[in-house]
């Protein structure tokens, strides 16, 4: 739309995209998984060519992306937004097979469905253990929203159950607000164990459904292991990921700092102070598109500000929110001072209810804008 002389091809692996914001509500039984899934028909209808398949190779010299079935797509500019992979080698005993027993539910809908099924089937007085990884991670608030949504389910359906969060960190964003909400809504149900108390998961014993930390072992009926993360595999294939496992980019155009003519947006990119969140990814997509439209017209893109807002559902009418604005500064996205907002620790019920409404409205607007 910004540059009608361009043609755009979207490579999509599968018929549907599963959106993760609000996906924790699926675990509480508040939303069906289908409410998170979107097709590409309307995008196709807007003139974008859809190439179904998975990119398996990229040749930056020839400027082609190769698909699994051997097709090759030429490009002037390539945008990669592949999200993350969980690091299967970071926790001893954990791998793809282990994830079928101890799901991470962090990258695909089938894993969310598996975790929901396990919760449903667990004994009434069972123990759920969630392990939260070190930063940087996709959706820094996500593990704690997940604990809240699972607690909602357990309170109603398995009232004698217990939920333990093993954390590889000593603190997390909005911790005060989460803990106050847990004390109010789920008293005695959630136990959070930080790094200093031995919360760092080092090993799993899949056969015995046991999580082993620096200090202790925890036997679980349901184990939700969220491992450390890195940019998805294709970024290594393309040569745009550095030794951190993430992709350094120019904050004005999102062009890779390692490979010309390839842009990286979303969770895979190192975007300074910006969180790895869908709201940020969506804003990055727009900035990147505008920059590419200008580059292809021989213009020089100028720095643009962007915003991000994340919501965490604690109960159906109770949410926390956090937001900020960012601007390219010294080659990196930095916070624009004075724009950070978050639900206050002493927020009223009406404020929490309003945040929950805003979360729904944001999700509806963003998915409508993206998928039509
Ligand atoms: C539990 C949870 C809750 C969350 N809640 C929120 C929230 O409330 N608000 C918020 O803003 N964010 C939230 N997020 C974060 C949000 O989901 C991510 O930040 C966002 O999805 C990042 O978008 P992305 O495009 O980088 O990656 P993705 O959304 O993962 O999209 C990447 C796509 O690329 C595909 N792909 C990967 N490799 C290839 C390849 N080689 N070829 C073709 N296709 C490929 C993948 O299959 C996928 O469809 C949450 C995340 C989780 C896990």
């Amino acid at each position: 739309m910004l540059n009608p002389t361009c043609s755009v091809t979207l490579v999509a692996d599968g018929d549907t995209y599963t959106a993760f914001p609000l996906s924790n509500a699926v675990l509480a039984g508040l939303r069906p998984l289908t409410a998170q899934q979107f097709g590409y028909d309307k995008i196709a209808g807007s003139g974008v060519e859809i190439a179904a398949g998975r990119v398996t190779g990229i040749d930056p010299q020839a400027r082609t992306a190769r698909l699994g079935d051997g097709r090759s797509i030429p490009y002037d500019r390539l945008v990669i937004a592949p999200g993350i992979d969980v690091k299967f080698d970071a926790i001893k005993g954990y791998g793809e097979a282990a994830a079928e027993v101890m799901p991470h539910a962090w990258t695909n809908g089938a894993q969310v469905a598996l975790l929901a099924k396990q919760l449903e089937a667990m004994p009434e007085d069972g123990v759920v253990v969630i392990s939260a990884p070190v930063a940087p991670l996709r959706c820094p608030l996500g593990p704690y929203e997940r604990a809240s949504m699972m607690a909602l389910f357990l309170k109603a359906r398995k009232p004698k159950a217990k939920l333990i969060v093993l954390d590889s960190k000593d603190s997390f964003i909005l911790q005060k607000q989460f803990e106050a909400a847990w004390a109010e809504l789920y008293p005695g149900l959630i136990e959070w164990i930080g790094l200093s108390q031995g919360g760092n998961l080092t090993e799993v014993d899949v056969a015995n459904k046991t999580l082993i930390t620096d200090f202790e072992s925890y036997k679980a009926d349901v184990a939700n292991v969220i491992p450390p993360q890195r940019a998805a595999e294709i970024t290594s294939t393309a040569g745009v990921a550095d030794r951190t496992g993430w992709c350094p980019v120019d904050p004005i155009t999102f062009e890779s700092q390692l490979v010309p003519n390839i842009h990286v947006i979303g969770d895979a990119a190192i975007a300074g102070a910006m969180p790895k969140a869908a709201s940020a990814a969506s804003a990055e997509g727009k900035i990147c598109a505008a920059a590419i439209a200008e580059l292809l017209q021989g213009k020089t893109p100028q720095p643009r500000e962007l915003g991000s807002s994340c919501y965490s559902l604690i109960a159906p009418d109770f949410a926390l929110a956090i937001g900020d604005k960012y601007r390219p500064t010294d080659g990196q996205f930095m916070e624009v001072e004075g724009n950070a907002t978050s639900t206050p620790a002493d927020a009223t019920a009406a404020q929490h209810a309003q945040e929950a409404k805003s979360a729904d409205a944001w999700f509806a607007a963003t998915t409508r804008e993206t998928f039509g």
Side-chain angles (χ1 to χ4, degrees):
M1 285 190 280
L2 294 169
N3 180 347
T5 65
C6 298
S7 64
V8 180
T9 302
L10 172 69
V11 181
D13 61 342
D15 298 336
T16 52
Y17 172 82
T18 301
F20 266 81
L22 298 188
S23 66
N24 285 324
V26 174
L27 303 172
L30 294 180
R31 293 169 70 81
L33 188 57
T34 48
Q36 303 297 125
Q37 291 172 325
F38 300 87
Y40 300 107
D41 293 355
K42 298 227 171 95
I43 297 180
S46 69
V48 171
E49 188 171 330
I50 308 287
R54 205 167 167 79
V55 178
T56 52
I58 289 165
D59 183 337
Q61 266 77 44
R63 292 199 202 170
T64 54
R66 199 180 55 251
L67 270 56
D69 61 7
R71 268 177 298 164
S72 181
I73 303 178
Y75 64 81
D76 292 303
R77 295 272 166 179
L78 176 67
V79 181
I80 314 185
I84 59 140
D85 282 347
V86 295
K87 282 191 187 168
F88 279 122
D89 55 353
I91 298 161
K92 197 171 162 203
Y94 199 70
E96 271 181 72
E100 293 306 311
V101 181
M102 299 175 154
H104 50 77
W106 218 244
T107 61
N108 65 70
Q111 279 272 303
V112 176
L114 175 62
L115 187 56
K117 206 168 132 200
Q118 291 187 350
L119 275 180
E120 190 72 44
M122 70 177 254
E124 279 221 352
D125 59 351
V127 176
V128 178
V129 183
I130 301 175
S131 74
V134 287
L137 73 150
R138 153 174 289 183
C139 194
L141 300 173
Y144 316 100
E145 180 190 58
R146 178 166 288 172
S148 312
M149 286 289 97
M150 284 184 168
L152 177 70
F153 173 85
L154 297 176
K155 190 178 165 186
R157 300 281 308 283
K158 320 266 176 181
K160 291 186 204 137
K162 190 166 169 47
L163 195 161
I164 298 169
V165 182
L166 298 174
D167 209 324
S168 299
K169 303 176 289 302
D170 257 333
S171 61
F172 59 91
I173 309 173
L174 299 186
Q175 183 165 356
K176 222 169 140 186
Q177 287 86 330
F178 272 102
E179 288 182 339
W182 291 346
E184 182 186 332
L185 298 168
Y186 311 116
L189 208 168
I190 301 175
E191 183 185 1
W192 177 79
I193 301 174
L195 172 67
S196 307
Q197 288 82 45
N200 182 41
L201 180 68
T202 54
E203 187 177 345
V204 292
D205 173 352
V206 181
N208 293 305
K209 266 210 180 164
T210 299
L211 296 90
I212 301 154
T213 72
D214 293 331
F215 302 168
E216 290 266 1
S217 292
Y218 297 85
K219 176 125 181 64
D221 293 288
V222 173
N224 172 210
V225 175
I226 308 170
Q229 294 150 32
R230 63 175 173 85
E233 179 62 28
I234 192 66
T235 61
S236 304
T237 313
V240 292
D242 70 13
R243 285 166 60 190
T244 66
W246 303 98
C247 307
V249 294
D250 175 312
I252 298 176
T253 59
F254 284 88
E255 186 166 4
S256 165
Q257 289 181 5
L258 303 180
V259 184
N261 304 310
I262 300 184
H263 302 245
V264 186
I265 56 170
D267 288 353
I270 299 174
M274 298 254 298
K276 296 193 183 301
S279 53
S282 168
E284 291 169 20
K286 287 173 196 148
I287 289 191
C288 181
I292 289 177
E294 289 165 354
L295 287 167
L296 292 176
Q297 288 168 327
K299 296 181 187 160
T300 305
Q302 297 304 309
R304 292 177 165 93
E305 268 184 20
L306 55 80
S308 166
S309 49
C310 291
Y311 299 92
S312 267
L313 214 51
I314 313 277
D317 51 1
F318 191 124
L320 303 175
I322 188 162
D324 212 341
K325 272 196 178 150
Y326 306 86
R327 172 189 298 147
T329 312
D330 300 330
Q332 201 50 275
F333 263 104
M334 305 294 276
E335 286 179 29
V336 182
E337 223 172 286
N339 285 279
T341 56
S342 60
T343 312
D346 59 353
T348 61
Q351 282 172 297
H352 286 130
Q354 184 52 48
E355 306 285 35
K357 278 204 180 99
S358 302
D360 274 343
W362 169 82
F363 183 81
T366 302
T367 51
R368 197 180 319 114
E369 180 185 64
T370 309
F371 297 101

